[in-house]
């Protein structure tokens, strides 16, 4: 997810499980990573009052969740918008704005029975018509909706049965539908705002959530004010009534050191993005809590190949590239020991993950050398780069300077590849130019990204050929893999209503991806936060494993 977002990370590795603190546990059965259920459920009532001062690397310029795709919206928009569904900590759907639902025998019709008495902050009722207006807007946005429209792709139309009953009609069975309905990107915006003043959504979005946007300096600072009449938090988190905090101020502070300093001197009580470089210092501070969470979905991808053109149209070159990169070194030497190296294609805490293939693409430069020799690239030029028929084994990596894969990691990967005779040239382009080149397929490789989703259907969004980028549409299959076997497996997995069949298909998809090597997995997708011990009741969102602040409260 979000290959172009602005946040920069140093890359480091998990030197021991103990680094993740008491909330982290490793479940060894099939490699599943789990956290205590208490991380997601309010343990006791809090104290009302106070303004929380928080920081993030940036405040989004637009809060239009139906059109945007920047990572910080995952947690910042959860304060303003609600969803039909909430997930439990095992990824199973539970009630939120939908009190209950039924699914037709053919899996194509979902009937939602909505919670009564819910209103948007402008007074508009949340009802079946509001659901229809939101879903229709997303469908009409099409390619301008880079995430939401993908999640709603099987949705054909909505029918308002009565004010509290909404029927969603799909063109195919879609078992992941309920999981995706819990994503922040499918939260609800006031239908009055959508119809009468859609341009205002970016700066002053109107949702049903526990906080209201009171002030907004796009990209710099936002003040969220407590909504006193809020009374419809997800049942699962066991919070009743309005939020405890009177308000939340989020400052966009790009400099990691400044965010750390303001947290330690008490100017801020929370940073949504703790600095990796300052991790040991924050962890050792007795006045702070430091938390490292793994997001479900896809791991961070170091490189995404364009598999439709030279040199990465040859799977032997892709595999050699993947196993020539020393992930342990990348993650261990460039930071403070926080991130877990990863060489398979689902996050370890994603439902359906299996660790059978976790070492297939492990670091093995000797094997990489044999693969390249076997592919006919046995000779080298004076620079040590492999040549065949007068052509160098050289590829261009496009960057914008705003990728999640930081420059230090790119340089380490570049050095690892040169050691086996592959030249990786770096070319910086503006974001707009990158989008154009990706849509036209005019690139060799991109830095990767991550995608947060509590379902293995994330593999469909990232690797099914229907998700390929094309003109005016930035699809998520930037690898352009287009493999008929993978397409068939992912399509059947997406549509089957039998859980065991679906599980088996996703296992086969995980195996096949390690054969096809469309991207280079690098490490788990981590989210690091730090906050004052005067801030209590911080929960974590079950969908994204990011902070949930409706139950948070401050000591005097």
């Amino acid at each position: 997810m979000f290959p172009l977002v602005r946040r920069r990370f140093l890359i480091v590795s998990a030197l021991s499980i103990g680094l993740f603190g008491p909330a982290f546990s490793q479940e060894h059965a099939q490699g599943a990573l789990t956290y205590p259920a208490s991380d997601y459920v309010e343990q006791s009532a809090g104290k009302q009052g106070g303004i929380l001062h928080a920081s993030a690397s940036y405040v989004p310029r637009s809060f239009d969740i139906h059109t945007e795709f920047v990572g910080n919206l995952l947690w910042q928009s959860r304060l303003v918008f609600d969803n039909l569904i909430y997930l439990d900590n095992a990824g199973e759907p539970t009630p939120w704005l939908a009190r209950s639902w039924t699914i037709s025998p053919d899996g194509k019709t979902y009937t939602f029975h909505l919670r009564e008495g819910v209103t948007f902050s402008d007074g508009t009722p949340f009802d079946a018509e509001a659901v229809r207006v939101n879903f229709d807007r997303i469908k009409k946005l099409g390619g301008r909706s880079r995430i939401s429209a993908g999640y709603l792709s099987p949705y054909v139309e909505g029918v308002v049965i009565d004010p509290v009953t909404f029927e969603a009609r799909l063109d195919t069975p879609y078992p992941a539908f309920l999981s995706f309905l819990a994503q922040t990107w499918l939260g609800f915006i006031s239908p009055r705002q959508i119809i009468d003043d859609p341009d205002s959504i970016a700066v002053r979005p109107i949702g049903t959530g526990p906080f209201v946007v009171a002030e907004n300096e796009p990209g710099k600072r936002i003040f969220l004010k407590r909504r006193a009449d809020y009374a419809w938090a997800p049942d699962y988190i066991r919070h009743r009534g309005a939020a405890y905090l009177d308000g939340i101020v989020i400052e966009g502070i790009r400099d990691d050191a400044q965010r750390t300093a303001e947290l330690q001197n008490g100017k801020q009580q929370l940073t949504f993005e703790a600095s990796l470089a300052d991790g040991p210092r924050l962890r050792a501070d007795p006045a702070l809590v430091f938390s490292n969470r793994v997001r479900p979905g896809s791991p961070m991808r170091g490189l995404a190949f364009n598999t439709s053109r030279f040199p990465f149209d040859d799977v032997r070159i892709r595999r050699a590239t993947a196993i020539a990169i020393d992930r342990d070194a990348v993650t261990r030497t460039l930071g403070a020991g926080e991130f877990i190296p990863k060489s398979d294609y689902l996050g370890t805490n994603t439902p359906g993950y299996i660790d059978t293939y976790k070492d297939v693409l492990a670091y093995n430069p000797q094997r990489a050398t044999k693969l390249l020799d076997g592919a006919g690239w046995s000779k080298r030029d004076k620079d040590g780069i492999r040549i065949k028929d007068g052509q160098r084994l050289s590829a261009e990596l496009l960057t914008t300077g705003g990728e999640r894969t930081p420059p230090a990691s790119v340089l380490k990967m570049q050095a690892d590849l040169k050691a086996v005779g592959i030249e990786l040239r770096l070319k910086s382009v503006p974001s707009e130019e990158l989008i154009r080149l990706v849509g036209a397929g005019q690139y060799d490789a991109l830095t990767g990204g991550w995608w947060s989703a509590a379902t293995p259907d994330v593999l469909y969004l990232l690797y099914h050929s229907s998700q390929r980028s094309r003109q005016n549409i930035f699809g998520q299959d930037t690898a352009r893999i287009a493999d008929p076997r993978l397409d068939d497996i992912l399509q059947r997995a997406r549509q089957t209503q039998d859980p065991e069949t679906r599980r088996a298909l996703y296992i086969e998809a995980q195996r096949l991806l390690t054969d096809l090597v469309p991207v280079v997995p690098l490490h788990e997708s981590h989210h690091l936060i730090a906050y004052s011990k005067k801030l209590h009741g911080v929960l974590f969102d079950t969908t994204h494993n990011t902070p949930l602040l409706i139950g948070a409260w401050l000591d005097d």
Side-chain angles (χ1 to χ4, degrees), residues 301-326:
R301 293 155 282 155
L303 297 176
F305 304 121
N306 183 348
T307 63
S308 66
R309 78 178 198 174
F310 177 85
F312 299 123
D313 54 348
D314 187 334
V315 69
R316 295 170 295 182
I317 307 300
R318 300 199 298 271
R319 180 174 297 277
T321 299
I323 65 177
I325 293 173
D326 187 350

PDB file of all heavy atoms in Angstrom, residues 301-326:
ATOM      1  N   ARG A 301       7.535  -4.205   0.891  1.00  0.00           N
ATOM      2  CA  ARG A 301       8.208  -4.751  -0.294  1.00  0.00           C
ATOM      3  C   ARG A 301       9.363  -3.827  -0.659  1.00  0.00           C
ATOM      4  O   ARG A 301       9.183  -2.635  -0.853  1.00  0.00           O
ATOM      5  CB  ARG A 301       7.208  -4.843  -1.448  1.00  0.00           C
ATOM      6  CG  ARG A 301       6.095  -5.870  -1.204  1.00  0.00           C
ATOM      7  CD  ARG A 301       4.838  -5.566  -1.992  1.00  0.00           C
ATOM      8  NE  ARG A 301       4.069  -4.486  -1.373  1.00  0.00           N
ATOM      9  CZ  ARG A 301       3.238  -3.710  -2.034  1.00  0.00           C
ATOM     10  NH1 ARG A 301       3.069  -3.857  -3.323  1.00  0.00           N
ATOM     11  NH2 ARG A 301       2.581  -2.768  -1.397  1.00  0.00           N
ATOM     12  N   GLY A 302      10.563  -4.391  -0.762  1.00  0.00           N
ATOM     13  CA  GLY A 302      11.729  -3.587  -1.063  1.00  0.00           C
ATOM     14  C   GLY A 302      11.782  -3.129  -2.499  1.00  0.00           C
ATOM     15  O   GLY A 302      12.048  -1.960  -2.794  1.00  0.00           O
ATOM     16  N   LEU A 303      11.506  -4.050  -3.418  1.00  0.00           N
ATOM     17  CA  LEU A 303      11.504  -3.750  -4.850  1.00  0.00           C
ATOM     18  C   LEU A 303      10.275  -4.390  -5.488  1.00  0.00           C
ATOM     19  O   LEU A 303       9.927  -5.525  -5.153  1.00  0.00           O
ATOM     20  CB  LEU A 303      12.750  -4.312  -5.541  1.00  0.00           C
ATOM     21  CG  LEU A 303      14.122  -3.782  -5.140  1.00  0.00           C
ATOM     22  CD1 LEU A 303      15.205  -4.557  -5.881  1.00  0.00           C
ATOM     23  CD2 LEU A 303      14.239  -2.295  -5.441  1.00  0.00           C
ATOM     24  N   ALA A 304       9.639  -3.671  -6.384  1.00  0.00           N
ATOM     25  CA  ALA A 304       8.578  -4.230  -7.225  1.00  0.00           C
ATOM     26  C   ALA A 304       9.095  -4.251  -8.656  1.00  0.00           C
ATOM     27  O   ALA A 304       9.460  -3.215  -9.208  1.00  0.00           O
ATOM     28  CB  ALA A 304       7.306  -3.399  -7.125  1.00  0.00           C
ATOM     29  N   PHE A 305       9.160  -5.439  -9.247  1.00  0.00           N
ATOM     30  CA  PHE A 305       9.663  -5.585 -10.612  1.00  0.00           C
ATOM     31  C   PHE A 305       8.579  -5.268 -11.634  1.00  0.00           C
ATOM     32  O   PHE A 305       7.405  -5.533 -11.393  1.00  0.00           O
ATOM     33  CB  PHE A 305      10.122  -7.025 -10.862  1.00  0.00           C
ATOM     34  CG  PHE A 305      11.143  -7.537  -9.906  1.00  0.00           C
ATOM     35  CD1 PHE A 305      10.886  -8.660  -9.132  1.00  0.00           C
ATOM     36  CD2 PHE A 305      12.378  -6.921  -9.784  1.00  0.00           C
ATOM     37  CE1 PHE A 305      11.830  -9.162  -8.252  1.00  0.00           C
ATOM     38  CE2 PHE A 305      13.340  -7.410  -8.908  1.00  0.00           C
ATOM     39  CZ  PHE A 305      13.060  -8.536  -8.137  1.00  0.00           C
ATOM     40  N   ASN A 306       8.980  -4.751 -12.777  1.00  0.00           N
ATOM     41  CA  ASN A 306       8.099  -4.760 -13.941  1.00  0.00           C
ATOM     42  C   ASN A 306       8.377  -6.064 -14.665  1.00  0.00           C
ATOM     43  O   ASN A 306       9.355  -6.190 -15.407  1.00  0.00           O
ATOM     44  CB  ASN A 306       8.366  -3.568 -14.852  1.00  0.00           C
ATOM     45  CG  ASN A 306       7.413  -3.526 -16.037  1.00  0.00           C
ATOM     46  OD1 ASN A 306       6.691  -4.490 -16.313  1.00  0.00           O
ATOM     47  ND2 ASN A 306       7.405  -2.416 -16.753  1.00  0.00           N
ATOM     48  N   THR A 307       7.527  -7.042 -14.424  1.00  0.00           N
ATOM     49  CA  THR A 307       7.775  -8.384 -14.958  1.00  0.00           C
ATOM     50  C   THR A 307       7.450  -8.504 -16.440  1.00  0.00           C
ATOM     51  O   THR A 307       7.627  -9.573 -17.024  1.00  0.00           O
ATOM     52  CB  THR A 307       6.953  -9.429 -14.190  1.00  0.00           C
ATOM     53  OG1 THR A 307       5.554  -9.165 -14.374  1.00  0.00           O
ATOM     54  CG2 THR A 307       7.278  -9.390 -12.697  1.00  0.00           C
ATOM     55  N   SER A 308       7.016  -7.404 -17.047  1.00  0.00           N
ATOM     56  CA  SER A 308       6.625  -7.477 -18.459  1.00  0.00           C
ATOM     57  C   SER A 308       7.721  -6.997 -19.400  1.00  0.00           C
ATOM     58  O   SER A 308       7.516  -6.976 -20.612  1.00  0.00           O
ATOM     59  CB  SER A 308       5.351  -6.656 -18.698  1.00  0.00           C
ATOM     60  OG  SER A 308       5.585  -5.270 -18.486  1.00  0.00           O
ATOM     61  N   ARG A 309       8.877  -6.588 -18.852  1.00  0.00           N
ATOM     62  CA  ARG A 309       9.942  -6.172 -19.750  1.00  0.00           C
ATOM     63  C   ARG A 309      11.327  -6.465 -19.157  1.00  0.00           C
ATOM     64  O   ARG A 309      11.474  -6.719 -17.964  1.00  0.00           O
ATOM     65  CB  ARG A 309       9.801  -4.705 -20.132  1.00  0.00           C
ATOM     66  CG  ARG A 309      10.244  -3.686 -19.106  1.00  0.00           C
ATOM     67  CD  ARG A 309      10.075  -2.302 -19.707  1.00  0.00           C
ATOM     68  NE  ARG A 309      10.842  -1.277 -19.003  1.00  0.00           N
ATOM     69  CZ  ARG A 309      10.924  -0.026 -19.429  1.00  0.00           C
ATOM     70  NH1 ARG A 309      10.299   0.353 -20.539  1.00  0.00           N
ATOM     71  NH2 ARG A 309      11.634   0.870 -18.766  1.00  0.00           N
ATOM     72  N   PHE A 310      12.335  -6.413 -19.995  1.00  0.00           N
ATOM     73  CA  PHE A 310      13.709  -6.721 -19.619  1.00  0.00           C
ATOM     74  C   PHE A 310      14.167  -5.814 -18.478  1.00  0.00           C
ATOM     75  O   PHE A 310      13.832  -4.631 -18.464  1.00  0.00           O
ATOM     76  CB  PHE A 310      14.630  -6.517 -20.835  1.00  0.00           C
ATOM     77  CG  PHE A 310      16.088  -6.731 -20.536  1.00  0.00           C
ATOM     78  CD1 PHE A 310      16.638  -8.003 -20.572  1.00  0.00           C
ATOM     79  CD2 PHE A 310      16.908  -5.662 -20.190  1.00  0.00           C
ATOM     80  CE1 PHE A 310      17.982  -8.193 -20.279  1.00  0.00           C
ATOM     81  CE2 PHE A 310      18.246  -5.852 -19.898  1.00  0.00           C
ATOM     82  CZ  PHE A 310      18.782  -7.125 -19.933  1.00  0.00           C
ATOM     83  N   PRO A 311      14.937  -6.336 -17.514  1.00  0.00           N
ATOM     84  CA  PRO A 311      15.416  -7.720 -17.426  1.00  0.00           C
ATOM     85  C   PRO A 311      14.547  -8.617 -16.566  1.00  0.00           C
ATOM     86  O   PRO A 311      14.783  -9.814 -16.467  1.00  0.00           O
ATOM     87  CB  PRO A 311      16.783  -7.553 -16.772  1.00  0.00           C
ATOM     88  CG  PRO A 311      16.583  -6.404 -15.826  1.00  0.00           C
ATOM     89  CD  PRO A 311      15.642  -5.464 -16.533  1.00  0.00           C
ATOM     90  N   PHE A 312      13.502  -8.020 -15.955  1.00  0.00           N
ATOM     91  CA  PHE A 312      12.749  -8.780 -14.966  1.00  0.00           C
ATOM     92  C   PHE A 312      11.591  -9.570 -15.556  1.00  0.00           C
ATOM     93  O   PHE A 312      10.757 -10.102 -14.812  1.00  0.00           O
ATOM     94  CB  PHE A 312      12.293  -7.849 -13.850  1.00  0.00           C
ATOM     95  CG  PHE A 312      13.434  -7.201 -13.113  1.00  0.00           C
ATOM     96  CD1 PHE A 312      13.543  -5.817 -13.024  1.00  0.00           C
ATOM     97  CD2 PHE A 312      14.423  -7.980 -12.540  1.00  0.00           C
ATOM     98  CE1 PHE A 312      14.605  -5.224 -12.356  1.00  0.00           C
ATOM     99  CE2 PHE A 312      15.499  -7.397 -11.864  1.00  0.00           C
ATOM    100  CZ  PHE A 312      15.594  -6.010 -11.773  1.00  0.00           C
ATOM    101  N   ASP A 313      11.530  -9.664 -16.882  1.00  0.00           N
ATOM    102  CA  ASP A 313      10.593 -10.592 -17.505  1.00  0.00           C
ATOM    103  C   ASP A 313      11.093 -12.027 -17.386  1.00  0.00           C
ATOM    104  O   ASP A 313      10.350 -12.971 -17.679  1.00  0.00           O
ATOM    105  CB  ASP A 313      10.330 -10.224 -18.968  1.00  0.00           C
ATOM    106  CG  ASP A 313      11.601 -10.110 -19.791  1.00  0.00           C
ATOM    107  OD1 ASP A 313      12.701 -10.091 -19.207  1.00  0.00           O
ATOM    108  OD2 ASP A 313      11.489 -10.030 -21.030  1.00  0.00           O
ATOM    109  N   ASP A 314      12.306 -12.217 -16.963  1.00  0.00           N
ATOM    110  CA  ASP A 314      12.896 -13.540 -16.739  1.00  0.00           C
ATOM    111  C   ASP A 314      12.832 -13.845 -15.250  1.00  0.00           C
ATOM    112  O   ASP A 314      13.460 -13.169 -14.434  1.00  0.00           O
ATOM    113  CB  ASP A 314      14.346 -13.552 -17.221  1.00  0.00           C
ATOM    114  CG  ASP A 314      14.982 -14.937 -17.177  1.00  0.00           C
ATOM    115  OD1 ASP A 314      14.539 -15.782 -16.368  1.00  0.00           O
ATOM    116  OD2 ASP A 314      15.935 -15.162 -17.952  1.00  0.00           O
ATOM    117  N   VAL A 315      12.050 -14.869 -14.885  1.00  0.00           N
ATOM    118  CA  VAL A 315      11.862 -15.181 -13.475  1.00  0.00           C
ATOM    119  C   VAL A 315      13.177 -15.565 -12.805  1.00  0.00           C
ATOM    120  O   VAL A 315      13.345 -15.377 -11.595  1.00  0.00           O
ATOM    121  CB  VAL A 315      10.799 -16.292 -13.303  1.00  0.00           C
ATOM    122  CG1 VAL A 315      11.305 -17.639 -13.831  1.00  0.00           C
ATOM    123  CG2 VAL A 315      10.366 -16.410 -11.833  1.00  0.00           C
ATOM    124  N   ARG A 316      14.132 -16.081 -13.571  1.00  0.00           N
ATOM    125  CA  ARG A 316      15.423 -16.425 -12.979  1.00  0.00           C
ATOM    126  C   ARG A 316      16.157 -15.178 -12.499  1.00  0.00           C
ATOM    127  O   ARG A 316      16.826 -15.199 -11.458  1.00  0.00           O
ATOM    128  CB  ARG A 316      16.265 -17.201 -14.001  1.00  0.00           C
ATOM    129  CG  ARG A 316      15.681 -18.551 -14.374  1.00  0.00           C
ATOM    130  CD  ARG A 316      16.415 -19.153 -15.561  1.00  0.00           C
ATOM    131  NE  ARG A 316      16.235 -18.348 -16.767  1.00  0.00           N
ATOM    132  CZ  ARG A 316      16.741 -18.672 -17.965  1.00  0.00           C
ATOM    133  NH1 ARG A 316      17.460 -19.782 -18.095  1.00  0.00           N
ATOM    134  NH2 ARG A 316      16.514 -17.896 -19.013  1.00  0.00           N
ATOM    135  N   ILE A 317      16.006 -14.088 -13.242  1.00  0.00           N
ATOM    136  CA  ILE A 317      16.616 -12.825 -12.826  1.00  0.00           C
ATOM    137  C   ILE A 317      15.911 -12.280 -11.593  1.00  0.00           C
ATOM    138  O   ILE A 317      16.558 -11.784 -10.658  1.00  0.00           O
ATOM    139  CB  ILE A 317      16.579 -11.787 -13.967  1.00  0.00           C
ATOM    140  CG1 ILE A 317      17.197 -12.361 -15.251  1.00  0.00           C
ATOM    141  CG2 ILE A 317      17.271 -10.503 -13.545  1.00  0.00           C
ATOM    142  CD1 ILE A 317      18.630 -12.765 -15.103  1.00  0.00           C
ATOM    143  N   ARG A 318      14.592 -12.389 -11.566  1.00  0.00           N
ATOM    144  CA  ARG A 318      13.837 -11.919 -10.395  1.00  0.00           C
ATOM    145  C   ARG A 318      14.221 -12.719  -9.151  1.00  0.00           C
ATOM    146  O   ARG A 318      14.448 -12.146  -8.079  1.00  0.00           O
ATOM    147  CB  ARG A 318      12.328 -12.027 -10.639  1.00  0.00           C
ATOM    148  CG  ARG A 318      11.826 -11.226 -11.826  1.00  0.00           C
ATOM    149  CD  ARG A 318      10.334 -10.999 -11.759  1.00  0.00           C
ATOM    150  NE  ARG A 318       9.510 -12.194 -11.786  1.00  0.00           N
ATOM    151  CZ  ARG A 318       9.054 -12.784 -12.887  1.00  0.00           C
ATOM    152  NH1 ARG A 318       9.378 -12.299 -14.083  1.00  0.00           N
ATOM    153  NH2 ARG A 318       8.262 -13.845 -12.816  1.00  0.00           N
ATOM    154  N   ARG A 319      14.285 -14.028  -9.298  1.00  0.00           N
ATOM    155  CA  ARG A 319      14.623 -14.860  -8.146  1.00  0.00           C
ATOM    156  C   ARG A 319      16.050 -14.577  -7.681  1.00  0.00           C
ATOM    157  O   ARG A 319      16.310 -14.460  -6.470  1.00  0.00           O
ATOM    158  CB  ARG A 319      14.465 -16.338  -8.503  1.00  0.00           C
ATOM    159  CG  ARG A 319      14.806 -17.294  -7.355  1.00  0.00           C
ATOM    160  CD  ARG A 319      14.500 -18.732  -7.726  1.00  0.00           C
ATOM    161  NE  ARG A 319      13.075 -18.892  -7.962  1.00  0.00           N
ATOM    162  CZ  ARG A 319      12.183 -19.086  -6.999  1.00  0.00           C
ATOM    163  NH1 ARG A 319      12.572 -19.156  -5.734  1.00  0.00           N
ATOM    164  NH2 ARG A 319      10.905 -19.206  -7.280  1.00  0.00           N
ATOM    165  N   ALA A 320      16.962 -14.465  -8.624  1.00  0.00           N
ATOM    166  CA  ALA A 320      18.351 -14.169  -8.260  1.00  0.00           C
ATOM    167  C   ALA A 320      18.435 -12.836  -7.525  1.00  0.00           C
ATOM    168  O   ALA A 320      19.172 -12.692  -6.537  1.00  0.00           O
ATOM    169  CB  ALA A 320      19.234 -14.162  -9.503  1.00  0.00           C
ATOM    170  N   THR A 321      17.675 -11.849  -7.991  1.00  0.00           N
ATOM    171  CA  THR A 321      17.657 -10.537  -7.334  1.00  0.00           C
ATOM    172  C   THR A 321      17.142 -10.663  -5.904  1.00  0.00           C
ATOM    173  O   THR A 321      17.723 -10.113  -4.962  1.00  0.00           O
ATOM    174  CB  THR A 321      16.780  -9.557  -8.122  1.00  0.00           C
ATOM    175  OG1 THR A 321      17.320  -9.404  -9.442  1.00  0.00           O
ATOM    176  CG2 THR A 321      16.716  -8.209  -7.449  1.00  0.00           C
ATOM    177  N   ALA A 322      16.039 -11.391  -5.741  1.00  0.00           N
ATOM    178  CA  ALA A 322      15.429 -11.521  -4.415  1.00  0.00           C
ATOM    179  C   ALA A 322      16.351 -12.202  -3.420  1.00  0.00           C
ATOM    180  O   ALA A 322      16.464 -11.774  -2.267  1.00  0.00           O
ATOM    181  CB  ALA A 322      14.113 -12.289  -4.520  1.00  0.00           C
ATOM    182  N   ILE A 323      17.046 -13.261  -3.853  1.00  0.00           N
ATOM    183  CA  ILE A 323      17.870 -13.994  -2.892  1.00  0.00           C
ATOM    184  C   ILE A 323      19.278 -13.423  -2.766  1.00  0.00           C
ATOM    185  O   ILE A 323      20.053 -13.850  -1.906  1.00  0.00           O
ATOM    186  CB  ILE A 323      17.924 -15.502  -3.244  1.00  0.00           C
ATOM    187  CG1 ILE A 323      18.624 -15.742  -4.582  1.00  0.00           C
ATOM    188  CG2 ILE A 323      16.531 -16.100  -3.243  1.00  0.00           C
ATOM    189  CD1 ILE A 323      18.762 -17.227  -4.928  1.00  0.00           C
ATOM    190  N   ALA A 324      19.603 -12.450  -3.610  1.00  0.00           N
ATOM    191  CA  ALA A 324      20.900 -11.767  -3.477  1.00  0.00           C
ATOM    192  C   ALA A 324      20.857 -10.648  -2.455  1.00  0.00           C
ATOM    193  O   ALA A 324      21.901 -10.109  -2.073  1.00  0.00           O
ATOM    194  CB  ALA A 324      21.339 -11.207  -4.834  1.00  0.00           C
ATOM    195  N   ILE A 325      19.665 -10.260  -2.013  1.00  0.00           N
ATOM    196  CA  ILE A 325      19.522  -9.162  -1.050  1.00  0.00           C
ATOM    197  C   ILE A 325      19.535  -9.724   0.365  1.00  0.00           C
ATOM    198  O   ILE A 325      18.712 -10.579   0.722  1.00  0.00           O
ATOM    199  CB  ILE A 325      18.226  -8.376  -1.321  1.00  0.00           C
ATOM    200  CG1 ILE A 325      18.324  -7.650  -2.670  1.00  0.00           C
ATOM    201  CG2 ILE A 325      17.947  -7.385  -0.194  1.00  0.00           C
ATOM    202  CD1 ILE A 325      17.038  -6.992  -3.107  1.00  0.00           C
ATOM    203  N   ASP A 326      20.449  -9.249   1.165  1.00  0.00           N
ATOM    204  CA  ASP A 326      20.599  -9.698   2.545  1.00  0.00           C
ATOM    205  C   ASP A 326      19.651  -8.896   3.433  1.00  0.00           C
ATOM    206  O   ASP A 326      19.996  -7.836   3.950  1.00  0.00           O
ATOM    207  CB  ASP A 326      22.052  -9.510   2.987  1.00  0.00           C
ATOM    208  CG  ASP A 326      22.327 -10.105   4.359  1.00  0.00           C
ATOM    209  OD1 ASP A 326      21.360 -10.492   5.040  1.00  0.00           O
ATOM    210  OD2 ASP A 326      23.511 -10.163   4.742  1.00  0.00           O
TER     211      ASP A 326
END
